[in-house]
């Protein structure tokens, strides 16, 4: 029995793994990590596919709602479709005739220049006033900041059509508040004054409306950006004898340069494609003198029934906007490289 017991002991493998106290055993295989699922032994999807599966529905929705109409619009711009062709369901190919007609039309270039002037004036006022209000928010006390922020949010959340109705009442010819204010201030000639008599005056009123509705976005974002600027930077500027403007230009602006670039980029897009404010205010009138490119395309397509020509206008609008925005893309990329 003793000999048998010793033989049993000597027959045990010498390289058997020893269990260490407090150390769990990890089983490894030469083939690498296993993809076997604990349920039923099915293999799981590779981890690299998961992001594409998650964004797949969003990409499909965007392609259906945006890409397909864009392609159809480009195709329509190369067709000569008016009211008769639309009723008869005929789609004759016109080549680049719609584009050559537009590029040779002086009215088109007038609308383009008007659109650029309208966009430049609006974006400049929005960024200037919005930045000043954002700085004011940063300097106000808690309760006054809350009241001003609520007022900004309510102005921003107001529907565009409702705000247009309010501004039409303010500048109404017979019962408008502005005529009453001008008469009360002693100005003559404002008894039933028509504020929408010319295209310029109409665009000025639309500019006030657009600026009023866009300032909250810039102001609140400006205030949020100012909260990231350290107080020690302001203290250092004061110790160096910098005034308010120098502090903003030397301290605040470098810290918020990316904010100004991105916000200006967004405002240019939103203002350049502003349609509802211009059309709902006076339908692009009087005599189409306040039309910008989106309104010009709508009037040509719906009122004049020149569908192919309207599609060409919209395509050119997109191309013009891409060219303008390319400069901002370069600035934003350069800013990211510097960081």
């Amino acid at each position: 029995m003793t000999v048998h017991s010793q033989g049993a002991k000597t027959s045990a493998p010498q390289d058997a793994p020893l269990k260490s106290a407090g150390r769990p055993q990890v089983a490894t295989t030469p083939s690498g990590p296993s993809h076997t699922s604990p349920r039923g032994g099915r293999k799981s999807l590779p981890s690299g596919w998961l992001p594409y599966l998650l964004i797949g529905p969003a990409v499909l929705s965007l392609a259906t709602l945006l890409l397909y109409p864009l392609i159809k619009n480009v195709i329509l711009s190369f067709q000569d479709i008016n009211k008769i062709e639309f009723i008869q369901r005929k789609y004759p190919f016109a080549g680049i005739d719609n584009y050559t007609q537009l590029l040779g039309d002086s009215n088109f270039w007038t609308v383009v220049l008007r659109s650029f002037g309208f966009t430049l004036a609006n974006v400049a006022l929005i960024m200037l006033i919005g930045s000043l209000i954002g700085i004011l928010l940063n300097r106000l006390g808690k309760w006054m900041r809350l009241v001003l922020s609520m007022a900004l949010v309510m102005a921003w959340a107001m529907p565009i059509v409702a705000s247009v109705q309010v501004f039409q009442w303010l500048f109404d010819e017979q019962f408008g508040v502005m005529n009453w204010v001008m008469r009360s201030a002693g100005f003559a000639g404002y008894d039933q004054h028509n504020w929408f008599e010319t295209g310029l005056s109409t665009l000025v009123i639309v500019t006030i409306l657009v600026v009023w509705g866009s300032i909250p976005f810039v102001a609140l974002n400006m205030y949020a950006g100012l909260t990231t600027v350290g107080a020690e930077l302001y203290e250092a500027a004061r110790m160096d004898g910098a005034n308010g403007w120098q502090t903003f230009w030397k301290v605040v602006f470098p810290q918020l340069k990316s904010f100004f670039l991105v916000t200006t980029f967004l405002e240019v897009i939103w203002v350049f494609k502003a349609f509802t404010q211009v059309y709902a205010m006076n339908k692009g009138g009087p005599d189409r003198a306040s039309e910008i490119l989106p309104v010009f395309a709508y009037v040509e397509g719906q009122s004049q029934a020149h569908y192919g020509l309207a599609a060409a206008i919209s395509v050119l609008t997109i191309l013009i906007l891409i060219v303008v925005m390319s400069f901002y893309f370069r600035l934003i990329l350069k800013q990211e490289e510097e960081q």
Side-chain angles (χ1 to χ4, degrees):
M1 295 297 292
T2 305
V3 176
H4 179 73
S5 175
Q6 292 175 353
K9 290 181 180 181
T10 58
S11 63
Q14 299 297 326
D15 56 346
L18 298 178
K19 294 183 178 180
S20 302
R23 295 184 180 180
Q25 297 295 316
V26 179
T28 59
T29 59
S31 59
S34 175
H35 294 286
T36 303
S37 174
R39 297 183 179 180
R42 294 178 297 178
K43 292 184 177 180
S44 61
L45 290 173
S47 59
W49 292 6
L50 182 59
Y52 300 102
L53 292 177
L54 292 176
I55 66 173
V59 173
L60 183 61
S61 301
L62 289 176
T64 304
L65 299 176
L66 297 179
L67 185 60
Y68 176 74
L70 178 61
I71 295 175
K72 292 291 291 183
N73 188 74
V74 173
I75 295 174
L76 180 61
S77 67
F78 292 100
Q79 296 173 337
D80 185 16
I81 301 179
N82 298 310
K83 185 178 293 185
I84 296 178
E85 288 80 6
F86 182 78
I87 295 174
Q88 296 178 350
R89 295 184 178 274
K90 295 180 179 180
Y91 311 105
F93 182 73
I96 60 173
D97 291 347
N98 291 325
Y99 292 96
T100 55
Q101 179 180 348
L102 284 173
L103 296 177
D105 187 2
S106 60
N107 292 329
F108 172 74
W109 292 110
T110 301
V111 174
V112 171
L113 294 177
R114 185 186 300 136
S115 301
F116 275 107
F118 177 77
T119 302
L120 181 62
N122 277 272
V123 173
L125 291 173
I126 290 170
M127 293 303 298
L128 177 61
I129 302 176
S131 299
L132 293 175
I133 296 179
I135 296 173
L136 178 62
L137 284 171
N138 193 44
R139 293 176 177 268
L140 289 176
K142 179 180 177 180
W143 292 107
M144 288 302 299
R145 183 187 304 122
L146 178 61
V147 172
L148 181 56
S149 299
M150 291 179 60
L152 291 171
V153 170
M154 286 189 291
W156 192 21
M158 189 172 182
I160 297 177
V161 176
S163 60
V164 170
Q165 293 292 327
V166 172
F167 271 74
Q168 286 178 335
W169 168 69
L170 290 175
F171 293 93
D172 185 72
E173 183 175 352
Q174 294 184 354
F175 308 104
V177 176
M178 288 304 302
N179 282 337
W180 174 79
V181 170
M182 299 300 289
R183 291 195 305 268
S184 300
F187 293 96
Y190 286 93
D191 187 16
Q192 296 187 353
H193 175 72
N194 184 11
W195 292 91
F196 302 99
E197 185 177 4
T198 64
L200 179 60
S201 61
T202 301
L203 286 178
V204 170
I205 297 173
V206 175
T207 297
I208 298 173
L209 171 61
V210 173
V211 171
W212 171 80
S214 301
I215 281 176
F217 175 78
V218 178
L220 294 175
N221 279 279
M222 180 68 179
Y223 167 67
L226 288 173
T227 58
T228 63
V229 181
E232 63 276 4
L233 297 177
Y234 294 105
E235 184 66 25
R238 283 194 295 266
M239 292 179 63
D240 291 338
N243 55 28
W245 170 251
Q246 291 173 337
T247 301
F248 175 81
W249 188 249
K250 298 295 183 180
V251 176
V252 176
F253 184 77
Q255 297 291 325
L256 302 181
K257 188 175 181 181
S258 59
F259 156 77
F260 284 105
L261 289 176
V262 174
T263 306
T264 304
F265 167 75
L266 293 175
E267 290 296 336
V268 168
I269 294 177
W270 290 337
V271 174
F272 194 82
K273 66 182 186 65
F275 167 79
T276 308
Q277 296 91 332
V278 179
Y279 187 79
M281 187 67 72
N282 201 21
K283 294 182 173 56
D287 297 327
R288 307 184 66 175
S290 62
E291 289 181 352
I292 59 176
L293 280 172
V295 180
F296 183 55
Y298 180 82
V299 172
E300 287 292 332
Q302 296 299 321
S303 300
Q304 306 296 325
H306 300 154
Y307 304 108
L309 192 65
I313 296 171
S314 63
V315 171
L316 289 176
T317 302
I318 295 174
L319 294 177
I320 292 172
L321 192 58
I322 290 175
V323 171
V324 173
M325 288 296 97
S326 63
F327 297 100
Y328 282 99
F329 285 133
R330 292 177 59 185
L331 290 174
I332 293 174
L333 293 176
K334 184 178 179 180
Q335 178 69 17
E336 292 180 353
E337 291 176 355
E338 292 177 355
Q339 293 178 352

